[in-house]
Amino acid sequence: KKTYTQGLCTDRAEFHRYLARFAKTAMDTAEELETLRHYGCGDTVPKVKNCALSDEDGVLKPLAPFGGKIFVIELSQIRARKDELRRDLSDYLGLDLPDMSPLSNKGYVFDEAIDICDGQYKDIRDVLLMHARRSSRWILDYFLQSPDVLVSSREYFVETLENWGKDPCDSRRKTLELTEEHVDYDW
């Protein structure tokens, strides 16, 4: 019987493995192939499964022959760089796009939602951060180097991906600590 995990699958956070299926990089160096291996397949981990990339691994099987260009966004761009994103996406698609202001996410908290910063989820957060670091490195070092991969606000995109491996709970804790330090209790 499977344990209920609230739909959490950390492997789904290995974004680079999905993007690799577009075959926009050479995938011909040991370093790149190592980055694309499944999490947990490092040389220090006992080999409980076959960790070698092969034709059996979905990463090496392109989705379909895809000779076109790919436009990639990082979700924070929708809020932080919405005007640039709309302009660049309009140019890419050859369409005049309407305003892309994001809808409010107010009210989208589910009963089963977790606070990933709670101590009980530290192990899961550590795995997600490892995936984030591996994904951002591959995207920046390999995928983004392809002339077929386009992004809006490149500098912002790169800076954002470089921060993927940083624990957001650390900055949240620092913000809370600063807030608590500056509270003026007038007893």
Side-chain angles (χ1 to χ4, degrees):
K1 183 178 175 182
K2 289 180 106 174
T3 332
Y4 179 64
T5 61
Q6 296 179 320
L8 182 66
C9 174
T10 59
D11 287 350
R12 292 181 186 158
E14 289 191 290
F15 301 119
H16 64 302
R17 292 178 50 80
Y18 298 101
L19 292 171
R21 294 185 67 196
F22 284 107
K24 294 298 182 183
T25 68
M27 287 195 266
D28 62 355
T29 65
E31 293 82 15
E32 182 177 9
L33 293 175
E34 180 65 26
T35 305
L36 291 169
R37 288 169 63 186
H38 284 289
Y39 170 74
C41 288
D43 292 332
T44 59
V45 176
K47 302 286 194 234
V48 290
K49 60 183 177 181
N50 180 7
C51 290
L53 284 176
S54 71
D55 288 338
E56 300 301 313
D57 190 330
V59 169
L60 296 181
K61 292 182 180 176
L63 295 169
F66 190 78
K69 294 189 181 295
I70 298 170
F71 190 93
V72 180
I73 69 166
E74 203 280 342
L75 286 178
S76 68
Q77 289 179 283
I78 294 172
R79 289 191 190 279
R81 296 288 193 269
K82 71 175 185 168
D83 293 331
E84 293 165 81
L85 177 61
R86 184 174 70 79
R87 182 196 65 230
D88 293 342
L89 191 54
S90 289
D91 291 346
Y92 172 75
L93 295 172
L95 300 171
D96 187 24
L97 296 175
D99 179 52
M100 293 175 52
S101 294
L103 300 174
S104 167
N105 58 1
K106 185 177 179 182
Y108 286 103
V109 177
F110 302 96
D111 292 338
E112 297 87 17
I114 65 169
D115 181 350
I116 196 70
C117 293
D118 283 351
Q120 65 182 331
Y121 301 115
K122 184 175 180 349
D123 292 342
I124 294 170
R125 195 170 66 248
D126 288 345
V127 171
L128 290 171
L129 286 167
M130 174 62 71
H131 290 334
R133 280 188 289 275
R134 289 167 44 102
S135 290
S136 68
R137 282 292 27 112
W138 182 83
I139 292 168
L140 294 172
D141 294 347
Y142 300 99
F143 196 61
L144 206 53
Q145 304 311 311
S146 169
D148 288 341
V149 176
L150 309 172
V151 296
S152 179
S153 307
R154 187 179 187 94
E155 187 176 304
Y156 176 83
F157 184 90
V158 168
E159 180 182 322
T160 302
L161 262 67
E162 286 175 344
N163 287 320
W164 274 14
K166 295 179 182 171
D167 190 340
C169 300
D170 289 344
S171 61
R172 184 170 149 190
R173 276 189 290 276
K174 286 177 187 168
T175 301
L176 288 173
E177 288 170 6
L178 287 173
T179 303
E180 289 172 1
E181 285 177 14
H182 296 289
V183 173
D184 185 18
Y185 294 103
D186 189 15
W187 302 95

